[in-house]
């Protein structure tokens, strides 16, 4: 049995930086990974999807070239070349992650599946079995695609968010089961590649956690792009086969209906990867939904066993997993016990225009009984978006009428994620909206529309 100061299960976007930080303390670390180094983000999440989103953006730009006075005789989409470009980026990022780990002193990569034999002992199996003992164990196993229990689905050649990126042909008609972030990104992407796209969702609107005006604007954008959306749809059966798949569903009134396409993408959400690890056998408690039950310091119910990232129920974003690693390291090894409570959670959905948010929206403020004032500025009035002819969306902000500080913001616009970072920094720094209102910001930029946004707040 090999002994380590720390064992980390999962070489994702929390596990890798945590391993490096611990090793720099001169401590011996085992980083256990059963799949590829880099986790979901590098291998089948952020990096590959955003690479393909970029290809889709180019396709849309070429398609609209005439709007900019550029005549293009014609073009075609090479799905295999798009896939190969995606894979090149994945290999590049994964290689960088592996190289960084190999350079780190005191870090040993152990390939295989980890199972708890006792609170501080793991059995790792990868053809052969070995046992590892750690003074502390950190669980960073992430999440996986949920495959709903629908009659006939298991026998169909359905796609997931991973396998759809391996296609060598552009689907004639892509059906998407689920209108969440994954469904929206792939829906718009493949529409731009030339597919007919139909999204079915059980909710009454897209992105239901956002304010109604945000949902309405995204729906308008998708409608203009001729992406079909079917709401209040409960799928109960999948039939057909390769090249012709039918989703049978019931509408809001319970009436049976059906829609047929050439390909089916299952995008019904993700679940924590916490099963078959022997966690509960050694006393590690799980929540009803399968997350490792941790406190604000990422401590599980077993002493010296921690969990972070998606599997611990943290916001399911790479940047939050990385931040988890920093908080855990500081709490356990840095002498600074830091909580994950009250931290800002920014996120960005890479549809076009991007949807980004940080802090409260109106829906949440009203639910919590928080007093606020709001401002809104439409992109169709912004100089920069008129120049680039990307006028969809708006900036929206909530402010505290007493302190004049920013409570939250939603940015639905070209490069919305970049603009959101500016607002996030203002929130962290306690900068009031009237300071931003009169701040000289470079022209012509998107950021200068923050002046107009703050001016729209009624005194």
């Amino acid at each position: 049995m090999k002994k380590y100061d720390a064992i980390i299960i999962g070489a994702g976007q929390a596990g890798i930086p945590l391993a490096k930080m611990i090793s720099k303390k001169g401590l011996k670390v085992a980083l256990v990974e059963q799949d590829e180094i880099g986790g979901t983000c590098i291998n089948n999440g952020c990096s590959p999807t955003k690479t393909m989103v970029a290809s889709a953006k180019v396709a849309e730009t070429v398609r609209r070239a005439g709007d900019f006075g550029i005549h293009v005789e014609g073009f075609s989409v090479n799905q295999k070349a798009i896939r190969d470009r995606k894979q090149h980026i994945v290999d590049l990022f994964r290689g960088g992650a592996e190289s960084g780990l190999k350079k780190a002193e005191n870090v040993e990569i152990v390939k295989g599946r980890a199972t708890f034999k006792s609170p501080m002992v793991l059995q790792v199996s990868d053809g052969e079995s070995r046992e590892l003992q750690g003074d502390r164990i950190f669980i960073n196993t992430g999440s996986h695609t949920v495959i709903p229990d629908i009659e006939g689905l298991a026998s169909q050649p359905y796609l997931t968010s991973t396998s759809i990126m391996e296609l060598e042909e552009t689907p004639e008609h892509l059906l998407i089961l689920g209108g969440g972030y994954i469904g929206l990104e792939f829906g718009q992407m493949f529409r731009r590649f030339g597919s007919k796209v139909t999204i079915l969702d059980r909710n009454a609107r897209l992105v239901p956690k956002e304010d109604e005006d945000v949902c309405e604007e995204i729906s308008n954008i998708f409608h203009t792009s001729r992406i079909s959306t079917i709401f209040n749809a409960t799928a109960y059966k999948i039939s057909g086969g390769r090249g012709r798949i039918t989703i049978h569903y019931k509408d809001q009134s319970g009436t049976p209906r059906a829609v047929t396409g050439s390909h089916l993408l299952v995008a019904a959400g993700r679940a924590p990867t916490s099963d078959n690890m022997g966690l509960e056998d050694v006393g590690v408690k799980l929540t009803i939904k399968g997350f490792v039950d941790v406190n604000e310091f990422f401590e599980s119910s077993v002493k010296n066993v921690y969990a972070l990232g998606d599997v611990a129920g943290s916001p399911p974003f790479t940047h939050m997993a990385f931040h988890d690693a920093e908080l855990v390291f500081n709490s356990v090894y840095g002498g600074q016990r830091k909580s994950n409570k009250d931290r800002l959670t920014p996120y960005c959905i890479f549809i076009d225009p991007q949807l980004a948010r940080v802090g409260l929206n109106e829906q949440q403020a009203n639910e919590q009984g928080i007093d606020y004032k709001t401002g809104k500025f439409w992109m169709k009035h912004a100089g920069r978006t008129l120049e680039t002819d990307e006028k969809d969306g708006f900036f929206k902000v909530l402010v505290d009428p007493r302190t004049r500080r920013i409570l939250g913001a939603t940015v639905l616009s070209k490069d919305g994620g970049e603009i959101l970072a500016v607002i996030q920094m203002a929130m962290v720094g306690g900068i009031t909206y009237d300071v931003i209102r009169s701040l000289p910001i470079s022209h012509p930029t998107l950021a200068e529309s923050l002046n107009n946004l703050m001016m729209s707040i009624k005194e």
Side-chain angles (χ1 to χ4, degrees), residues 316-333:
F317 309 111
T318 290
H319 49 280
M320 300 310 293
F322 187 90
H323 192 243
D324 283 1
E326 290 190 333
L327 293 180
V328 168
F329 175 77
N330 285 324
S331 293
V332 177
Y333 298 101

Side-chain angles (χ1 to χ4, degrees), residues 11-162:
Q13 296 306 298
I16 291 176
L18 182 59
K20 291 180 179 180
M21 287 186 280
I22 295 173
S23 72
K24 287 180 180 179
K25 300 283 288 186
L27 301 175
K28 191 175 181 181
V29 182
L31 182 58
V32 182
E33 176 57 62
Q34 67 174 354
D35 295 316
E36 299 287 356
I37 297 296
T40 298
C41 179
I42 286 179
N43 293 292
N44 44 51
C46 317
S47 302
T49 58
K50 279 48 179 182
T51 300
M52 292 182 69
V53 163
S55 293
K57 176 70 171 179
V58 171
E60 180 68 5
T61 300
V62 174
R63 186 175 288 110
R64 295 188 56 218
D67 296 343
F68 297 86
I70 308 299
H71 180 65
V72 177
E73 289 292 338
F75 74 98
S76 61
V77 171
N78 185 332
Q79 202 69 49
K80 183 178 183 300
I82 291 170
R83 185 205 65 183
D84 291 346
R85 177 176 179 270
K86 176 271 301 182
Q87 193 58 46
H88 170 71
I89 296 299
V90 169
D91 292 342
L92 182 68
F93 285 10
R94 184 195 299 149
E98 291 175 345
S99 176
L101 283 170
K102 289 177 181 177
K103 291 177 182 177
E105 295 183 6
N106 306 312
V107 176
E108 180 182 350
I109 299 173
V110 181
K111 298 294 290 184
R113 181 177 180 83
T115 306
F116 279 81
K117 305 305 293 182
S118 71
M120 294 294 110
V121 176
L122 299 178
Q123 179 177 300
V124 179
S125 302
D126 184 22
E128 61 180 41
S129 182
R130 72 195 91 172
E131 289 191 349
L132 313 179
Q133 180 178 334
D135 292 338
R136 291 185 173 91
I137 296 180
F138 302 87
I139 304 167
N140 176 227
T141 48
S143 60
H144 59 273
T145 300
V146 171
I147 305 301
D149 185 16
I150 299 174
E151 180 186 344
L153 178 59
S155 62
Q156 296 298 325
Y158 64 82
L159 299 164
T160 66
S161 58
T162 298

Side-chain angles (χ1 to χ4, degrees), residues 92-385:
L92 182 68
F93 285 10
R94 184 195 299 149
E98 291 175 345
S99 176
L101 283 170
K102 289 177 181 177
K103 291 177 182 177
E105 295 183 6
N106 306 312
V107 176
E108 180 182 350
I109 299 173
V110 181
K111 298 294 290 184
R113 181 177 180 83
T115 306
F116 279 81
K117 305 305 293 182
S118 71
M120 294 294 110
V121 176
L122 299 178
Q123 179 177 300
V124 179
S125 302
D126 184 22
E128 61 180 41
S129 182
R130 72 195 91 172
E131 289 191 349
L132 313 179
Q133 180 178 334
D135 292 338
R136 291 185 173 91
I137 296 180
F138 302 87
I139 304 167
N140 176 227
T141 48
S143 60
H144 59 273
T145 300
V146 171
I147 305 301
D149 185 16
I150 299 174
E151 180 186 344
L153 178 59
S155 62
Q156 296 298 325
Y158 64 82
L159 299 164
T160 66
S161 58
T162 298
S163 60
I164 193 171
M165 292 188 287
E166 300 304 315
L167 290 177
E168 294 189 5
E169 76 284 343
T170 304
E172 178 185 346
H173 184 181
L174 178 63
L175 305 177
I176 301 178
L177 193 59
Y181 303 157
I182 294 173
L184 296 186
E185 286 188 5
F186 279 111
Q188 187 182 61
M189 179 196 303
F190 277 90
R191 180 71 192 109
R192 290 180 166 187
F193 289 153
S195 300
K196 180 179 178 181
V197 174
T198 300
I199 299 173
L200 290 87
D201 194 73
R202 60 187 178 185
N203 293 302
R205 66 188 195 192
L206 296 176
V207 288
K209 292 183 180 180
E210 307 301 331
D211 287 338
E212 286 192 24
D213 54 350
V214 175
C215 302
E216 182 179 346
E217 180 68 0
I218 292 175
S219 291
N220 290 338
I221 292 167
F222 273 42
H223 177 73
T224 301
S225 301
R226 291 184 296 167
I227 297 172
S228 299
T229 50
I230 302 174
F231 300 117
N232 299 303
T234 303
Y236 64 88
K237 182 181 178 181
I238 310 294
S239 65
R242 189 171 298 277
R244 186 172 177 81
I245 297 178
T246 299
I247 299 178
H248 303 265
Y249 67 96
K250 293 182 179 180
D251 63 17
Q252 189 173 15
S253 66
T255 303
R257 299 186 182 278
V259 59
T260 300
S262 60
H263 294 70
L264 169 61
L265 168 64
V266 176
R270 296 180 68 82
T273 304
S274 60
D275 56 333
N276 301 319
M277 292 177 63
L279 290 171
E280 291 179 296
D281 294 339
V282 296
V284 176
K285 293 180 180 179
L286 303 178
T287 68
I288 294 175
K289 294 185 177 181
F291 297 103
V292 178
D293 193 0
V294 297
N295 63 15
E296 63 191 281
F297 303 105
F298 304 95
E299 297 167 332
S300 77
S301 54
V302 173
K303 186 178 181 181
N304 292 326
V305 176
Y306 305 80
L308 57 166
D310 290 11
V311 74
S314 291
F317 309 111
T318 290
H319 49 280
M320 300 310 293
F322 187 90
H323 192 243
D324 283 1
E326 290 190 333
L327 293 180
V328 168
F329 175 77
N330 285 324
S331 293
V332 177
Y333 298 101
Q336 303 175 44
R337 194 165 167 81
K338 293 192 174 183
S339 166
N340 64 6
K341 286 187 175 180
D342 301 322
R343 59 178 174 174
L344 287 173
T345 302
Y347 60 88
C348 182
I349 307 171
F350 284 79
I351 54 175
D352 186 17
Q354 294 173 8
L355 170 61
R357 180 154 72 85
V358 66
L360 297 174
N361 61 13
E362 287 195 82
Q363 194 167 270
Q364 293 171 325
N366 289 328
E367 289 172 355
Q368 297 175 34
I370 296 173
D371 190 23
Y372 67 90
K373 293 194 297 185
T374 186
K376 189 173 182 179
F377 182 71
W378 289 87
M379 289 298 95
K380 61 186 178 183
H381 301 309
R384 186 59 181 159
T385 57

